[in-house]
Each structure stands twice: as structure tokens, then as C-alpha cells.
């Protein structure tokens, strides 16, 4: 791909990756909106509600358990106690369980009669969307981190310090989002 005269060259893989991430973010938002709409309009009978609750808890274990593993290893890397290649291998290995767990939580949550009019539920719905979008952001960091391991400059020219700061911010957002949604879910279940 050539750039217009007087502008910096643009990397085709970087542009393609950016378009894919934007499309994925749009898809995540669309699925989230559809789930909120469905939650308002669907009512599950008591048996289906109980099955959905079981699935919800199982998906929480799968998805959040995998997130905790990656975030814990990432924290150990930030503290200098674990090599980055170990973190990247683990993140790559649990990528699918994280997304399956999150998708299962959203799908089963639709059948748990959430009240989108309640302020806490609105916060929880926002946290779920935030966690999903943060997961996409984390995925954009992986090629940069892989380049860092290889000793090369980040594909986008981001400094090591900025990359580490973005990783730390991603872990913080992840933990706040997941724990916040869990606490709100617990509080809502007590009503």
C-alpha cells in the first residue's frame, strides 16, 4: 500500500488488523444490544431459568477462571517474576475459553430475567460490554508483545513503557469489570 506524498507510509497488515478489530467491536456491541433486547422480551419458565442459572455459573467458572489465570501471570510479568513468553503462551491457550465463557454468560443471562431498568443492572450490563471490548483491546496488544519478546520494535512504534502501561490498564479494567459484574449479579440475586 502506498501513501500519498508527504505522509508516512501505512502498513497494510496494521490497517487490516485495525479494520478487523473495528468490525469485531461493532459485532460485540451488536450482540450485546441484541442480548439486552432479548432479556427484556423473553421470559423463561422456572425449569429453563434453573438451567440457565447453572449454565451461567458454569460459564463464569470457565471464562473468569481463564481471565484470572492470564491476569495473574500478566501481573507476575509486570513484577518481573514471570517471563513474557509464558504469559503470551497462556493467553493464547485460554483465549477461546474466555470468549466461550463470556458468550455463555451473556446467552444464559438473557434467561435470568434481568431488569434493565434497575440502576445496578444497567451498571452490570455496561461492565459486561466493557469487559468484552477490553478483551478485544487485549488481543490487539498480543502482536506488540510478541514483537517485544523477539526484540523488535512494536509494529506501531509504541514504546515499551507505553505498552506495559496499556497492559496494566487492560488488566485493571478486566478485573474491575469482571468483579463488578459478579458483585452486582450477587446483589441482584438476593432480591
Amino acid at each position: 500500500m502506498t501513501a500519498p506524498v508527504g505522509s508516512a507510509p501505512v502498513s497494510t497488515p496494521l490497517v487490516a488488523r485495525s479494520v478487523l478489530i473495528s468490525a469485531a467491536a461493532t459485532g460485540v456491541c451488536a450482540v450485546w444490544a441484541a442480548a439486552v433486547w432479548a432479556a427484556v422480551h423473553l421470559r423463561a419458565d422456572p425449569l429453563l431459568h434453573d438451567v440457565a442459572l447453572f449454565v451461567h455459573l458454569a460459564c463464569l467458572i470457565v471464562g473468569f477462571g481463564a481471565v484470572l489465570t492470564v491476569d495473574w501471570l500478566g501481573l507476575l510479568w509486570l513484577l518481573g517474576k514471570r517471563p513474557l513468553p509464558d504469559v503470551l503462551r497462556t493467553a493464547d491457550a485460554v483465549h477461546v475459553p474466555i470468549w466461550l465463557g463470556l458468550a455463555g454468560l451473556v446467552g444464559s443471562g438473557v434467561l435470568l430475567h434481568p431488569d434493565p431498568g434497575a440502576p445496578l443492572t444497567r451498571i452490570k450490563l455496561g461492565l459486561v460490554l466493557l469487559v468484552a471490548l477490553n478483551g478485544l483491546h487485549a488481543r490487539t496488544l498480543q502482536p506488540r508483545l510478541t514483537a517485544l519478546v523477539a526484540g523488535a520494535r512494536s509494529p506501531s512504534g509504541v514504546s515499551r513503557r507505553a505498552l506495559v502501561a496499556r497492559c496494566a490498564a487492560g488488566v485493571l479494567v478486566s478485573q474491575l469489570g469482571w468483579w463488578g459484574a459478579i458483585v452486582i449479579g450477587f446483589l441482584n440475586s438476593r432480591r
Side-chain angles (χ1 to χ4, degrees), residues 5 13 19 25 40 43 60 67 71-72 77 90 105 110 114 121 124 129 135 141 178 189:
V5 176
V19 168
V40 170
R43 288 289 167 234
L60 178 62
V67 166
D71 287 354
W72 175 250
W77 168 65
T90 302
L105 283 165
V110 164
T121 302
K124 180 179 178 180
L129 181 59
L141 296 176
W178 279 92
S189 74

Side-chain angles (χ1 to χ4, degrees), residues 32 34-44 49 52 56 105-125 128 184-185 188-189 191:
W32 176 86
V36 171
W37 181 89
V40 170
H41 293 90
L42 292 179
R43 288 289 167 234
H49 181 275
H56 203 70
L105 283 165
V106 170
S108 60
V110 164
L111 300 173
L112 295 178
H113 310 298
D115 177 11
L120 278 179
T121 302
R122 288 182 182 179
I123 293 169
K124 180 179 178 180
L125 292 172
V128 169
I184 291 170
N188 283 344
S189 74
R191 293 182 178 174

Side-chain angles (χ1 to χ4, degrees), residues 3-127:
V5 176
S7 66
V10 177
S11 167
T12 302
L14 189 59
V15 170
R17 195 172 320 134
S18 179
V19 168
L20 284 174
I21 292 298
S22 295
T26 301
V28 163
C29 290
V31 167
W32 176 86
V36 171
W37 181 89
V40 170
H41 293 90
L42 292 179
R43 288 289 167 234
D45 64 32
L47 176 62
L48 185 56
H49 181 275
D50 288 346
V51 170
L53 181 59
F54 178 82
V55 169
H56 203 70
L57 294 173
C59 289
L60 178 62
I61 292 167
V62 170
F64 190 44
V67 166
L68 283 172
T69 300
V70 173
D71 287 354
W72 175 250
L73 289 177
L75 177 62
L76 291 176
W77 168 65
L78 290 170
L79 296 173
K81 298 188 180 293
R82 189 70 100 199
L84 184 55
D86 285 359
V87 179
L88 294 174
R89 275 192 298 276
T90 302
D92 193 51
V94 299
H95 181 74
V96 170
I98 289 170
W99 284 101
L100 287 175
L102 185 57
L105 283 165
V106 170
S108 60
V110 164
L111 300 173
L112 295 178
H113 310 298
D115 177 11
L120 278 179
T121 302
R122 288 182 182 179
I123 293 169
K124 180 179 178 180
L125 292 172
L127 290 173

